[in-house]
């Protein structure tokens, strides 16, 4: 703030005197007038006790004449007093000067009347404020004014806010010595009426009590403070702000105890009043001393003097309006008042304008603003730091949620990846184990097929030897050993060899192979059991992982992904299992086809033998026993009916249909009639063009009660279309020929074992081609060589043992008397048993359960044919000699095969018929690593 010390000037107190009119009491007391106004500024206070004529006391007279700045007598109006004392202060206050107007005088002399006035005669307060706002309003529009007001009282040395009388105020002094009223209420107002309303309200709070001297005596000092701030409406940095304060003080009246006749509270009040007034008088005395004689001014003796410090001895234009009573009864008070007032005239204050340089303020404010901005930035940074620290110590909910969400998401992602890897690993492990299991099962199947083939070789040789070395009691022994050799692992040790009949090389090799194969089977079974145990553990592990999803993975989407992943792998595993079952079933069909092939070949051989014998009998007119004749008739009737052929055809159709269902992943239970019709039609196409037959009746037994499927739509249809007459057909093609047009077992297995997509596997399984020509050729040769050897040996047996044919009187069930039939049944049983044992040993348990319904059917099929003979026999009429011409039945002799050129497509040449694709008789041919049984080609006749 710019120092304006050089601009101050000394301003003497303005002291005015107002002499009120006589009060009623004074008039009643018949008091005389002692204070006489002489002119505008002089007052003569006459001693009422002096006699005007007492010349002797004239020098000691107390009559005094006082000169004041203004003297008002009873005729003076409120307006005159105001104008003469206060109005001139208004302009100074607005300009930034401090001013004080206080009323001083004994009690009841009209101080309040002068300051506050009456409604009809308002006092200085109102007039000053009215003029103040009027001046402000009339001032230059370039100036801005702000007016504040406050109103307080000092009662018994206690400061009270009259506009807000709730508490007690305290006086404080700043470092520059300026007196501040802490906690005072300042109201900003814009007009005098509003201030008047505040004054009325405040005066009601002021302490007033009736006294002997004044019915409305004020028992406190009242101070009305008006502050005016002025500034120029300009952006000029040199603009000035002026702050002027106007104090208008209505002092409590000094009083004499004798006059007021107070006691108690009133006396105490009077004492405080007098003390404060005394302090004020002392200050005035001190301030009024001229020159260097001024003594210390003790403003701190009372709150009144502290509050009026500036007004008395500082920066203020001060007007003192002394009040006296004109009555002689108040002479002493009037005299003392006049003396104090007159002394106050000597007081000079250093008046200066309270001017604040705006440019300085702007710079200061700019600096302050800059400092504040820095402080704000510092505080903001500090707040942020504290927030960070608080967040670190006690994070809020949103941050926690966000952090938790982020952490959870990150954790969930990590967990998801871990679970996914574990799941994939578990499923891959499962798949690998399942593939290994399939491979083991395949190996087992191959081992058993090979075992079967070797057993057939051995069995054929043993039977052949038995016929040659036929002796009573010896034959039974041979047959018995042949049936039980497979189950007996000590076969070699228990075998009784006939030293007179050295065993051929192929039989020896077959025995060695069987021994090796059995060892392989045991080893494979052990590996399979271990693998199944591991697979079970892996399944359990995958299941436990899946159960952990909801606990470890919070995200629903990720859980869903993992569930889908699990489901996908489960489906893959399930599909693998289904394909494995399909392959197993197809293998069963292959086995059945193989058996059927042998029967067909044997049947054709037998038919040829029968026809040759019949021709021989007829040509040589050989007598035939009746029993043999009847058997021949039964045979002829069977051939005429074509039951066997129809059953073969039916089996062929069903086999192919089932195989298609297995390959296509369909369930046999869902095989509908349309599929059967389609299969029948395709089976007809697949047969040789020369083959002419109608779809056979299902009725196997001739007089069956049709408890089989004769009522099914397909069968009804075929029955209607079928011819009742004996079917003419060519026994040309075995069902296994059709195998070339179906996926091979090995192809399917390889597709399963190879880790490729399911669709690709399916496509591959559906498009797999046949085996190599060389392999097919070898298979065909081996297969047919077995049948050829068996047929030749049986032919020899028939020739040599014709005398042992069963007699018609013997029980048809006693086949021991019919070696060929018995042998056939025995071979069938051996093959069936082999097949059952193979399935029981190596197929999965669930497959066994399904097979339990199939195997008896297979066996029933075999047994039914036998029972068919049994049940039909009693009904067969007396045999009639019937020549069965070959051209009538058109039965070809047992086909002799020759090898086709290797450079051409592998075909089998069948004499009299043509060329046909070779078949794939057994799955054993698919096994290259197992020791292939050889040495059969030398038997091809
Ligand atoms: N100039 C005046 N003209 C007419 N009446 C007056 C005048 N001065 C005072 N009075 C009357 O005299 C009486 C006392 O006046 P006032 O209350 O103002 O005295 P005071 O000095 O304030 O007394 P106290 O100190 O006890 O408060 C009042 O009734 C008032 O109306």
């Amino acid at each position: 703030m710019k120092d304006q010390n050089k601009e101050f000037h000394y301003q003497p107190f303005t002291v005015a005197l107002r002499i009120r009119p006589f009060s009623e009491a004074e008039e009643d007391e018949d008091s005389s007038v002692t204070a006489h106004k002489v002119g505008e500024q002089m007052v003569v206070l006459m001693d009422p006790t002096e006699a005007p004529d007492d010349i002797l006391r004239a020098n000691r007279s107390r009559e005094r004449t006082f000169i004041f700045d203004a003297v008002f007598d009873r005729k003076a109006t409120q307006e005159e007093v105001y104008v003469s004392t206060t109005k001139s202060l208004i302009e100074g206050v607005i300009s930034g000067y401090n001013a004080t107007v206080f009323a001083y005088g004994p009690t009841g002399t009209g101080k309040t009347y002068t300051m506050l006035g009456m409604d009809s005669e308002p006092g200085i307060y109102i007039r000053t404020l009215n003029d103040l706002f009027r001046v402000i309003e009339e001032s230059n529009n370039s100036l801005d004014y702000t007016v504040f007001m406050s109103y307080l009282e000092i009662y018994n040395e206690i400061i009270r806010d009259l506009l807000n009388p709730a508490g007690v105020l305290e006086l404080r002094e700043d470092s520059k010595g300026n007196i501040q009223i802490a906690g005072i209420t300042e109201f900003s107002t814009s007009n005098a009426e509003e201030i008047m309303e505040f004054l009325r309200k405040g005066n009601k709070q002021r302490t007033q009590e009736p006294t002997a001297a004044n019915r409305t005596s004020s028992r406190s000092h009242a101070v009305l403070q008006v502050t005016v701030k002025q500034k120029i409406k300009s952006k000029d940095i040199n603009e000035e702000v002026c702050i002027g304060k106007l104090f208008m003080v209505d002092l409590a009246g000094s009083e004499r105890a004798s006059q007021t006749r107070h006691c108690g509270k009133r006396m105490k009040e009077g004492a405080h009043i007098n003390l404060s007034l005394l302090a004020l008088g002392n200050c005035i005395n001190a301030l009024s001393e001229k020159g260097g004689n001024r003594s210390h001014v003790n403003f701190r003796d009372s709150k009144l003097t502290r509050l009026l410090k500036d007004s008395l001895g500082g920066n203020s234009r001060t007007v003192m309006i002394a009040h006296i009573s004109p009555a002689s009864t108040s002479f002493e008070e009037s005299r003392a008042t006049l003396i104090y007032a007159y002394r106050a005239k000597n007081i000079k204050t250093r008046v200066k304008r309270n001017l604040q340089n705006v440019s300085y303020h702007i710079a200061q404010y700019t600096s302050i603003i800059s400092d504040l901005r820095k402080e704000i930035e510092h505080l903001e940074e500090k707040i942020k730091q504290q927030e960070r620290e608080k967040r670190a110590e006690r994070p809020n909910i949103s941050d926690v949620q966000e952090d938790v969400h982020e952490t959870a998401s990150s954790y969930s992602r990590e967990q998801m990846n871990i679970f996914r890897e574990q799941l994939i690993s578990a499923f891959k492990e499962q798949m690998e184990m399942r593939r290994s299991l399939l491979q083991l099962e395949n190996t087992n199947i191959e081992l058993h097929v090979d075992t079967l083939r070797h057993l057939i070789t051995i069995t054929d040789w043993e039977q052949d030897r038995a016929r040659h070395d036929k002796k009573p009691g010896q034959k039974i022994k041979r047959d018995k050993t042949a049936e039980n050799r497979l189950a007996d692992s000590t076969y070699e040790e228990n075998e009784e060899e006939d030293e007179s009949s050295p065993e051929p090389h192929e039989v020896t090799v077959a025995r060695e192979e069987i021994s090796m194969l059995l060892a392989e089977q045991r080893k494979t079974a052990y590996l399979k059991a271990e693998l199944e145990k591991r697979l079970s553990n892996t399944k359990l592990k995958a299941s436990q992982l899946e159960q952990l999803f909801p606990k470890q993975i919070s995200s629903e989407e990720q859980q869903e992904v993992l569930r889908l992943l699990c489901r996908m792998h489960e489906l893959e595993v399930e599909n693998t299992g289904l394909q494995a079952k399909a392959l197993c079933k197809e293998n069963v069909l292959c086995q059945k086809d193989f058996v059927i092939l042998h029967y067909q070949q044997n049947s054709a051989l037998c038919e040829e033998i029968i026809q040759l014998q019949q021709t021989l009998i007829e040509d040589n007119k050989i007598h035939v026993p009746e029993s043999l004749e009847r058997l021949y008739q039964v045979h002829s009737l069977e051939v005429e009916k074509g039951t066997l052929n129809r059953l073969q055809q039916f089996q062929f159709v069903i086999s192919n249909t089932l195989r298609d269902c297995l390959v296509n992943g369909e369930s046999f239970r869902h095989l509908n009639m349309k599929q059967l019709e389609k299969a029948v039609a395709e089976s007809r196409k697949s047969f040789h063009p020369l083959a002419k037959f109608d779809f056979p009746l299902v009725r196997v037994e001739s007089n069956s009660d049709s408890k089989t499927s004769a009522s099914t739509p397909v069968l009804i249809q075929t029955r209607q279309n079928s011819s009742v007459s004996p079917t003419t057909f060519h026994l040309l093609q075995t069902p296994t020929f059709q195998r070339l047009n179906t996926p091979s077992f090995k192809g399917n297995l390889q597709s399963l074992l190879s880790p490729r997509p399911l669709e690709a596997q399916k496509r591959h399984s559906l498009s797999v081609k046949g085996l190599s020509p060389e392999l097919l050729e070898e298979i065909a040769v081996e297969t047919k060589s077995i049948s050829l050897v068996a047929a030749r040996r049986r032919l020899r047996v028939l020739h040599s043992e014709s005398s042992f044919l069963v007699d018609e009187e013997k029980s048809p069930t006693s086949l021991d008397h019919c070696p060929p039939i018995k042998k056939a049944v025995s071979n069938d049983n051996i093959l069936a048993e082999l097949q059952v044992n193979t399935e029981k040993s190596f197929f999965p348990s669930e497959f066994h359960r399904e097979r339990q319904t199939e195997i008896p059917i297979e066996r029933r099929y075999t047994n039914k044919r036998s029972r068919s003979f049994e049940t039909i026999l009693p009904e067969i009429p007396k045999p009639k000699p019937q020549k069965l011409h070959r051209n009538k039945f058109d039965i070809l002799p047992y086909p002799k095969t020759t090898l086709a050129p290797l450079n051409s497509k592998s075909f089998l040449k069948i004499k009299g018929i043509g060329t046909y694709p070779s078949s794939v008789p057994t799955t054993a041919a698919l096994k290259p690593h197992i020791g292939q049984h050889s040495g059969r080609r030398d038997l091809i006749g």
Side-chain angles (χ1 to χ4, degrees), residues 18-21 23 73-74 76 78 105-114 118 206 208-209 211 213-219 250-254 323:
R18 187 175 192 181
I19 306 169
R20 66 163 170 85
S23 63
D73 59 7
R74 57 182 178 88
Q78 297 280 65
T107 181
T109 55
K111 300 180 292 292
T112 302
Y113 181 85
T114 299
M118 310 287 287
R206 190 179 179 188
Q208 288 184 329
E209 295 292 341
T211 63
N214 185 5
R215 289 178 297 181
T216 59
S217 176
S218 302
R219 311 306 295 170
D250 177 14
L251 297 176
S254 58
H323 293 78

Side-chain angles (χ1 to χ4, degrees), residues 601-615:
Q601 292 171 340
N602 198 21
S603 175
L605 177 62
C606 293
E607 187 63 29
E608 185 179 4
I609 293 168
I610 291 170
Q611 291 306 319
L612 289 174
Q613 289 177 345
Q614 186 65 25
T615 303

Side-chain angles (χ1 to χ4, degrees), residues 14-30:
T14 300
V15 180
L17 177 65
R18 187 175 192 181
I19 306 169
R20 66 163 170 85
F22 268 79
S23 63
E24 294 178 357
E26 290 169 341
E27 287 179 353
D28 295 340
E29 292 174 355
D30 194 16

Side-chain angles (χ1 to χ4, degrees), residues 116-152:
L116 184 62
M118 310 287 287
D119 291 339
S120 57
E121 292 289 334
I124 291 176
Y125 291 163
I126 306 301
R127 296 178 189 275
T128 304
L129 293 173
N130 283 335
D131 283 347
L132 180 67
F133 285 108
R134 181 179 52 80
V135 172
I136 290 173
E137 289 175 1
E138 292 175 356
S139 66
N140 193 335
N141 290 330
S142 63
L143 299 176
D144 282 335
Y145 292 95
T146 305
V147 178
F148 301 94
M149 66 161 291
S150 62
Y151 195 26
L152 61 87

Side-chain angles (χ1 to χ4, degrees), residues 72-89:
F72 308 99
D73 59 7
R74 57 182 178 88
K75 298 178 184 176
T77 63
Q78 297 280 65
E79 178 64 18
E80 292 173 353
V81 173
Y82 162 70
V83 171
S84 300
T85 59
T86 308
K87 187 174 180 177
S88 61
L89 298 176

